[in-house]
């Protein structure tokens, strides 16, 4: 293996681009679980030859599995990756009728199980489990109320700051990003 030298790297941590193709697959008619994963620190060494790892982040929820890109030669990856997981319900009335939302949604959320986050070392395939955790999303219904847009992070990344610290370019819409305008409208959520 080739030795990796994290201390000498002048390359900034990778970011998922604002115009990432994942946004083009989002539907304004679907509710999404948005999972933002910034990074990890202190991961075990999976490649003793280089004294490092090539970590990749994978999430699992309700039978859906998604994964990030891998970061090469590091035990402190910075993915800055956003996952969009469709929230599937057996009947859409659970979202729209207050009584069903109040009584059935908690049961449905509990039945879906945990959101699992795993970190794997990647050679050509994920080969070695480096760590992970589970989140009980049923508990998030007790989170703090907030107003957020589904693609808010992408819009923020696309905005440019001029020399005076004033934002230029995009306001509340993102026509240049090719994103459906409904995806940038703020709505009530729990964080």
């Amino acid at each position: 293996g080739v030795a990796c030298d994290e201390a000498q790297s002048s390359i900034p941590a990778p970011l998922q681009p604002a115009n990432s193709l994942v946004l083009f697959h989002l539907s304004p008619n679907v509710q999404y679980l948005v999972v933002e994963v910034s990074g990890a620190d202190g991961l075990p060494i999976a490649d003793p030859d280089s004294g490092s790892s090539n970590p990749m982040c994978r999430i699992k929820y309700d039978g859906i599995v998604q994964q990030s890109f891998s970061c090469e030669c590091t035990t402190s990856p910075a993915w800055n990756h956003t996952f969009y997981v469709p929230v599937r319900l057996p009947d859409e009335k659970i979202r729209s009728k207050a009584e069903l939302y109040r009584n059935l949604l908690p049961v449905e959320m509990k039945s879906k199980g945990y959101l699992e986050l795993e970190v794997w070392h990647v050679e050509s395939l994920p080969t070695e489990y480096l760590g992970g955790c589970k989140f009980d999303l049923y508990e998030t219904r007790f989170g703090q109320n907030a107003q957020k847009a589904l693609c808010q992070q992408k819009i923020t990344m696309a905005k440019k700051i001029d020399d005076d610290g004033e934002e230029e370019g995009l306001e509340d819409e993102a026509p240049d990003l090719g994103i459906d305008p409904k995806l940038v409208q703020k709505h009530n959520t729990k964080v």
Side-chain angles (χ1 to χ4, degrees), residues 15-138:
L15 294 174
Q16 184 175 358
N19 60 352
S20 173
L21 289 177
V22 74
L23 296 177
F24 296 111
H25 294 95
L26 297 180
S27 168
N29 302 321
V30 174
Q31 183 177 11
Y32 293 92
L33 169 64
V34 180
V35 181
E36 297 174 350
V37 179
S38 57
D41 193 26
L43 294 175
I45 294 171
D47 184 356
D49 293 337
S50 68
S52 194
S53 298
N54 301 329
M56 172 268 297
C57 179
R58 176 183 292 161
I59 66 164
K60 299 177 182 179
Y61 180 67
D62 190 25
I64 298 172
V65 178
Q66 295 182 9
Q67 63 188 40
S68 71
F69 56 88
S70 64
C71 294
E72 301 295 317
C73 300
T74 182
T75 57
S76 299
W79 296 289
N80 295 317
H81 189 84
T82 303
F83 296 97
Y84 297 92
V85 182
V87 176
R88 302 179 295 191
L89 295 174
D91 189 342
E92 286 302 313
K93 291 178 186 172
I94 293 175
R95 286 189 233 276
S96 59
K97 293 193 175 186
E99 184 179 342
L100 295 177
Y101 185 86
R102 188 174 51 255
N103 296 326
L104 291 181
L105 187 62
V107 174
E108 182 64 23
M109 291 297 292
K110 199 130 178 103
S111 74
K112 293 182 181 297
Y114 295 98
L115 167 68
E116 297 180 48
L117 187 141
E118 299 175 342
V119 179
W120 289 82
H121 170 69
V122 176
E123 293 289 328
S124 57
L125 297 170
T127 57
E128 189 172 338
Y129 180 78
L130 300 177
C133 58
K134 293 181 179 183
F135 299 95
D136 185 355
L137 295 183
Y138 175 75

